[in-house]
Amino acid sequence: MEQLIQQMKVILGTNFGLYFKVHTFHWNVTGPDFAQYHEFLGDLYESIYGNVDTIAEKLRALGVFAPTSLSRMLELSDVTETENIPSAITMMSILKQDNDRFMVHLRAGIVAADEANEPAIGNFLQDLLDQHQKHAWMLRSFTE
Ligand SMILES: [Fe+2]
């Protein structure tokens, strides 16, 4: 159970880090295809942000408190921060890598949920993985 709780915290932090990065890219993207990127990134951050609340509430259901500070979220996040403003295509490539990393954590969470005999959490994480596999396909398609 401890393993699952720890993994769910990393999933929360990484989901938050990924959400925040996508939102800043939505604001800052430039180039001839601006409108297309801006809209794609807008849909993406909304979708990723939409899962933050449920992940945090799963932690509460497991009997622990959710993080209360941005610094703690950052500590838990496996998404590195981007301080400069990359080109649109580089943004897609960065997000592809971050999304892949997030899926590694989701897979680890699914295994931990199975070991902790928490099928409802495992099921939830499988749904998340399904969403992020779709994001991976789309992000990959920009750079292929
Ligand atoms: Fe916007």
Side-chain angles (χ1 to χ4, degrees):
M1 183 57 76
E2 205 41 55
Q3 179 107 23
L4 176 60
I5 288 169
Q6 188 48 39
Q7 193 56 34
M8 286 299 285
K9 287 181 178 175
V10 171
I11 287 170
L12 176 64
T14 305
N15 190 308
F16 200 84
L18 185 58
Y19 147 70
F20 187 74
K21 188 184 280 188
V22 175
H23 206 154
T24 66
F25 285 179
H26 165 78
W27 294 327
N28 292 317
V29 71
T30 57
D33 297 317
F34 166 80
Q36 192 189 333
Y37 280 107
H38 182 70
E39 191 184 342
F40 172 79
L41 292 165
D43 290 344
L44 188 59
Y45 87 70
E46 280 179 9
S47 165
I48 295 173
Y49 182 73
N51 293 318
V52 171
D53 188 58
T54 317
I55 301 168
E57 290 182 1
K58 294 283 181 214
L59 275 173
R60 298 295 297 124
L62 287 170
V64 296
F65 287 107
T68 55
S69 68
L70 286 173
S71 56
R72 179 63 181 144
M73 278 292 204
L74 192 57
E75 208 172 81
L76 288 167
S77 172
D78 195 24
V79 171
T80 53
E81 294 196 280
T82 305
E83 298 190 358
N84 57 346
I85 298 178
S87 68
I89 201 69
T90 304
M91 284 179 175
M92 297 303 121
S93 162
I94 290 169
L95 293 179
K96 167 68 175 58
Q97 286 168 30
D98 289 336
N99 190 65
D100 283 351
R101 218 205 221 48
F102 185 54
M103 289 197 295
V104 169
H105 289 299
L106 291 174
R107 287 176 191 276
I110 291 164
V111 171
D114 192 41
E115 282 165 0
N117 197 24
E118 287 288 349
I121 292 190
N123 192 43
F124 166 69
L125 294 176
Q126 285 175 26
D127 286 345
L128 269 188
L129 181 62
D130 186 48
Q131 291 176 32
H132 284 269
Q133 283 180 326
K134 187 172 179 185
H135 298 328
W137 154 53
M138 292 190 173
L139 289 165
R140 205 167 57 230
S141 298
F142 282 95
T143 52
E144 271 174 357

